[in-house]
Amino acid sequence: MPAPIVIVGAGIIGISTAYKIAEINPYARIVIVSKDFPDTGLLSPYYTSSKAGAHFRPFPSKSETEFRDSKYTHATYQKFKQLAIEHPESSIKLMTGVDYLEFENPLYSSLGKGYTEVVEDFQIIPKSELPQNVKFGAKYKSFCVNPHAYMTFMLDSLKLRQKITLVRKEVYSLRQVSVLYPDSTIVNCTGNGLLYDGSHDSACYSIRGQTLLVRPPLDYLDEFESKTITVQMANGEWCFFIPRPLNGGIILGGTKNQYCYQDTPVAEETEHLIQNAKSRFPHLFDRKTGELDILRINVGFRPARNGGVRLEKEDLDTGTGKVSIVHCYGFGGSGVEMSWGAAEKTAELALSSSREAKL
Ligand SMILES: Cc1cc2nc3c(=O)[nH]c(=O)nc-3n(C[C@H](O)[C@H](O)[C@H](O)COP(=O)(O)OP(=O)(O)OC[C@H]3O[C@@H](n4cnc5c(N)ncnc54)[C@H](O)[C@@H]3O)c2cc1C
Ligand SMILES: *[C@@H]1O[C@H](CO)[C@@H](O)[C@H](O)[C@H]1NC(C)=O
């Protein structure tokens, strides 16, 4: 029997990685160890992936690191395009992505590196067609995802094609995992987790996001499901709406607070999100009562990292033996978009390392 590949974490990164490993090697022994899976994670703020909007929104890179990481989005774009056509039950839906900036930002207006390379049909919206206050607008072919439905779909199709082992468990360190699964290759897809691991990566930090899941007024349903709009406001705030395909409602957001660990909704933020949306997305509000029909308030923590994504193999000496770890974390606010590209590279590193272990 080959030594197992043990993936720690079952967010979108862990699940995509497991899927890719199975695709490359149908005989690989795959174990996923995670505190939460899609079924239990839906309401937990610590299971970030189900809190993502989620849409595919490229942006101009502010640094070389951002540009490097943006390359992981290429494979995802192609994969999503294929899934939208062949597997609409994956929840991936093709729609128009729209960016509006209510202030001048040369990175956008000069179409900075990373912004236009991946998406198809990129167009700058002529000034005469822009809403009031908007200084720059662009649109492109994009995809929206209902992350809960998508991860469930991925995990179910994976279970059908290959016998994998799912272990629902919170671990305290990867060292503990290496004791539970001697000789295994460990893949670290823990996002924000393992805070109490002695080897916690101090470059990691959270960006808290609060969003509202709303029920759209019925008469605008079709229109809503045709695009996702992101407005960047002059004061630095964000106002976006993201339809969640397969009857997932509409995500209206959202806040971005670094180093904030409040894990329940903040009432003032909710009120603020509503006020920001009132003038920008008036159709979302009931025509008679003027109210927003809120189904749920989501709180999540984007797993950000100074220095960007960490995707590399490391050989650790545990004292009792050597263990290979492939790290794949630090996706911040773009983990869905980078999921497939990151999974491809991680799967290859994990498979080559488990081959080495066998020799
Ligand atoms: C409001 C909001 C909106 C977003 N919108 C978008 C978007 O539109 N597009 C986009 O691309 N991205 C978006 N993101 C970002 C995206 O959600 C993340 O980048 C992505 O979910 C990260 O996935 P992950 O698998 O690394 O982490 P997670 O989903 O957090 O998964 C981590 C996994 O590790 C497990 N784990 C952690 N610690 C332990 C432990 N000690 N023991 C066992 N298991 C453990 C957890 O249970 C979980 O299964 C958004 C995020 C937020 C908060
Ligand atoms: C595994 O990932 C976490 C991020 O969730 C990080 O803090 C930790 O340092 C990684 N583990 C090791 C042994 O590097």
Side-chain angles (χ1 to χ4, degrees), residues 5 30 39 41 44 66 72 83 89 102 119 132 153 165 170 189 230 232 240 249 258 286 298 315 334 337 352 357:
I5 297 177
I30 301 172
D39 56 353
S44 163
E66 277 189 1
Y72 293 123
L83 283 173
E89 77 279 16
E102 298 182 336
V119 291
Q132 220 189 345
F153 164 81
T165 309
E170 178 167 14
C189 302
T230 305
Q232 297 182 46
F240 53 78
Q258 296 188 4
D286 187 277
N298 283 332
D315 289 317
S334 309
E337 279 160 78
S352 67

Side-chain angles (χ1 to χ4, degrees), residues 8 173-175 187-204 303 305 310 312 314 316 325-330:
V8 187
S173 67
L174 298 183
R175 196 176 294 261
V187 186
N188 186 8
C189 302
T190 49
N192 269 314
L194 288 178
L195 277 181
Y196 308 104
D197 186 343
S199 58
H200 181 251
D201 180 346
S202 59
C204 292
R305 182 172 180 272
R310 183 175 182 209
E312 64 183 1
E314 180 186 30
L316 271 190
I325 302 179
V326 180
H327 297 286
C328 187
Y329 61 85

